[in-house]
Amino acid sequence: MKHIKLNLDSVEHKIKEACIRSNRSREDVTLICVSKTKPIEMIQEVIQSGYKTFGENKVQELKDKIEGFDDSLEWHMIGHLQSNKVKYIVDKVKYIHSVDSMKLALEISKEAKKKKVEANILIEVNVAKEGTKHGVLVEDTLALVKEIMTLESVNVCGLMTIAPYVENPEDNRIYFRSLRQLAQDIDALQLNNVSMKVLSMGMTGDYEVAIEEGATHIRVGTGIFGERDYNING
Ligand SMILES: *Cc1c(COP(=O)(O)O)cnc(C)c1O
């Protein structure tokens, strides 16, 4: 699996270059290695290269993988989350990136309180207004944040978006820029239990542009692990 090390070197180089172009420091960008559908051995390869932050989009797989490693790793829930599955992961992840309803936030609050933890969440925003995507619309985001901020045991830490699939990453720059603008606008209101320090945006096809537009967390799967084969697990 030598290619994983090579892929990581290449991604790391591109992250550094994007940081230099945008006058940012490398430490301000966290690379989330998106390991969904990929086996433990590949994750081990990534760990050996010095990375320890992983993202998964399915609860069962996330839970299984967390249990397969010691607690030196950091896990992120990046996929759509059903309310009835919150209890399995609420105390095990750094951030839940995909909160887009009060119903889900309520469940997170309830389960976090039960487990005596604070849940750190990001609001998923459907910036590009794609009908097929989860996420709250830009114009509805502040209202949702104001509802969620009243909940116990939940901290809003920032925003997340999944940009459209595009051939030219430059096409997504406007979406990344508007997510950052939205975060700045909300931050300026200085709401209780609300910080906008995390901007989770950018995937394999467009993370360099996302970094240039202020991403603090990029979620890279294919660029590290190679193409996913969804047929393996049926
Ligand atoms: C799968 C996934 C990614 C990674 O996508 P790649 O294009 O393989 O880098 C990032 N974010 C989310 C929410 C995902 O589900």
Side-chain angles (χ1 to χ4, degrees):
M1 284 183 279
K2 193 148 180 63
H3 61 280
I4 289 193
K5 170 98 176 74
L6 293 175
N7 289 347
L8 274 166
D9 287 347
S10 156
V11 170
E12 182 62 41
H13 179 73
K14 287 177 185 164
I15 294 172
K16 285 200 178 110
E17 294 288 310
C19 284
I20 290 168
R21 282 196 300 280
S22 49
N23 202 15
R24 301 184 61 201
S25 135
R26 171 66 185 90
E27 295 82 66
D28 295 340
V29 180
T30 300
L31 170 60
I32 299 175
C33 305
V34 178
S35 47
K36 63 191 188 198
T37 78
K38 299 297 181 183
I40 298 279
E41 304 83 72
M42 283 181 135
I43 296 176
Q44 242 131 21
E45 200 76 16
V46 173
I47 296 168
Q48 273 158 28
S49 295
Y51 297 85
K52 62 175 185 67
T53 308
F54 296 91
E56 289 283 338
N57 70 337
K58 294 217 161 62
V59 168
Q60 186 63 49
E61 189 176 352
L62 176 58
K63 207 169 147 280
D64 291 345
K65 282 178 175 165
I66 291 174
E67 284 164 9
F69 293 94
D70 66 32
D71 56 13
S72 64
L73 304 184
E74 183 181 298
W75 294 92
H76 292 248
M77 176 58 191
I78 62 173
H80 180 63
L81 181 57
Q82 287 168 294
S83 296
N84 61 348
K85 294 189 175 163
V86 167
K87 56 177 173 287
Y88 300 116
I89 55 127
V90 70
D91 57 338
K92 298 185 170 67
V93 296
K94 171 90 173 178
Y95 297 116
I96 297 172
H97 288 232
S98 44
V99 179
D100 62 357
S101 72
M102 183 60 177
K103 177 173 182 276
L104 177 57
L106 256 171
E107 189 63 23
I108 292 171
S109 169
K110 206 178 86 193
E111 292 298 331
K113 211 175 151 195
K114 246 192 237 172
K115 296 197 157 71
K116 299 192 167 58
V117 296
E118 295 277 305
N120 294 319
I121 67 163
L122 309 180
I123 307 299
E124 180 173 349
V125 185
N126 185 353
V127 183
K129 290 192 157 81
E130 286 183 287
T132 53
K133 292 255 170 82
H134 294 288
V136 63
L137 296 176
V138 167
E139 53 269 38
D140 299 330
T141 303
L142 179 58
L144 179 61
V145 168
K146 282 182 168 171
E147 264 192 288
I148 293 176
M149 67 183 265
T150 64
L151 298 174
E152 283 178 82
S153 309
V154 174
N155 304 311
V156 178
C157 300
L159 305 178
M160 176 271 222
T161 197
I162 303 174
Y165 180 79
V166 289
E167 289 290 325
N168 180 1
E170 284 297 330
D171 294 346
N172 280 338
R173 189 179 293 276
I174 48 166
Y175 301 124
F176 298 142
R177 197 168 284 178
S178 68
L179 193 73
R180 182 180 58 175
Q181 186 61 55
L182 179 60
Q184 278 171 357
D185 293 346
I186 294 174
D187 204 34
L189 301 174
Q190 299 194 303
L191 304 171
N192 280 333
N193 304 321
V194 176
S195 115
M196 284 287 136
K197 66 174 199 288
V198 177
L199 272 185
S200 169
M201 56 187 195
M203 306 176 21
T204 295
D206 54 21
Y207 64 88
E208 293 163 87
V209 173
I211 290 170
E212 288 170 11
E213 294 301 328
T216 64
H217 291 66
I218 56 172
R219 310 177 308 265
V220 180
T222 314
I224 295 170
F225 295 97
E227 295 291 333
R228 286 175 293 273
D229 183 356
Y230 287 100
N231 293 320
I232 293 176
N233 302 314

